[in-house]
Amino acid sequence: MMYTTILSVKVNTINFKIPSAFLKHEVEIDIYVPDGILGNEKIELLLLNDGQDVAKMNFTEILEEAHHNKRNNRLIVVAIKASPDRLMEYGVAGVPDFKGRGAKAELYTDFIIKELLPFVKKKIAMPITGRVAFAGFSLGGLSAFDIAWNNPSVFDAIGVFSGAFWWRKKDLANGYTDADRIMHNLIDHTSTRPDMKFWLMTGTEDEKADRNKNLIIDSIDDTIDVVKGLLNKGYKRPENIFYFEKVGGKHDVPTWESVMPAFLNWAFEV
């Protein structure tokens, strides 16, 4: 008789507060670390914006299930909690929106690249030998996209849940056109690594707004236009791009929690 060994992995959570010289305040993070890492596994890393939303999920269970029966890969997750200045720190670096929001996005990028990642790597004390990804929810997803896109030597994959791809230079009442969308313009006029991977998710009930009256909500229109922009840059589906439209999905934590396993399964080898 043959027996199958079931490999279960316990995940521990460690909380830190990192003083940031760039942001002029402490940034609180939760690091989710699989127990019993020996050092000979492939270590992968995920950064998540809006870590306060991650804390509302059963994220430990999700990550433990992602590791179920996996022997050779371990995923470490860093959930970065947003500060009270979230609307200024998240966005597109160097390009505030029409209300001036996102004015500190460049400083937040500096925090991620020059302060957070060195801190995390020192705490892990093992080389990251697998994929590194950055993901986030809503405006945090836009921020993650911008930072990973502009740092292709650091990141291999991007995940956006209900992304704020409407982020725009001009208000709807002031002659707005789709050309005013900041992230779409960035994709059209800049480039990142040719093998970057993109996981983009929307819910059919993300919002009710429909600025062009085409009976498709703006969050879906804007995300599909991001996919089109990536396809125009030469990225392929499904190798580089995965679009997940969740029927009944809302702009809320339960929706993002429900699709998190699908993202982890797609983005990483765990």
Side-chain angles (χ1 to χ4, degrees), residues 94-138:
V95 192
D97 87 331
F98 68 96
K99 286 188 173 180
R101 295 170 294 195
K104 296 181 181 179
E106 201 162 357
L107 295 173
Y108 185 69
T109 299
D110 285 337
F111 162 72
I112 294 292
I113 302 299
K114 299 175 183 177
E115 294 177 327
L116 176 70
L117 281 171
F119 176 90
V120 168
K121 289 177 180 178
K122 185 176 180 180
K123 291 298 179 184
I124 294 172
M126 286 176 288
I128 307 299
T129 52
R131 191 170 290 165
V132 179
F134 201 170
F137 316 103
S138 189

Side-chain angles (χ1 to χ4, degrees), residues 62-157:
I62 292 171
L63 199 52
E64 287 176 346
E65 181 59 31
H67 282 94
H68 187 70
N69 250 6
K70 306 293 184 182
R71 295 184 178 276
N72 299 318
N73 299 77
R74 293 291 180 268
L75 173 61
I76 296 170
V77 180
V78 180
I80 311 152
K81 298 183 181 182
S83 81
D85 214 12
R86 176 179 182 271
L87 288 175
M88 285 297 177
E89 293 175 358
Y90 286 2
V92 176
V95 192
D97 87 331
F98 68 96
K99 286 188 173 180
R101 295 170 294 195
K104 296 181 181 179
E106 201 162 357
L107 295 173
Y108 185 69
T109 299
D110 285 337
F111 162 72
I112 294 292
I113 302 299
K114 299 175 183 177
E115 294 177 327
L116 176 70
L117 281 171
F119 176 90
V120 168
K121 289 177 180 178
K122 185 176 180 180
K123 291 298 179 184
I124 294 172
M126 286 176 288
I128 307 299
T129 52
R131 191 170 290 165
V132 179
F134 201 170
F137 316 103
S138 189
L139 184 54
L142 181 76
S143 167
F145 193 112
D146 177 57
I147 293 171
W149 178 276
N150 286 302
N151 291 276
S153 65
V154 177
F155 297 101
D156 306 293

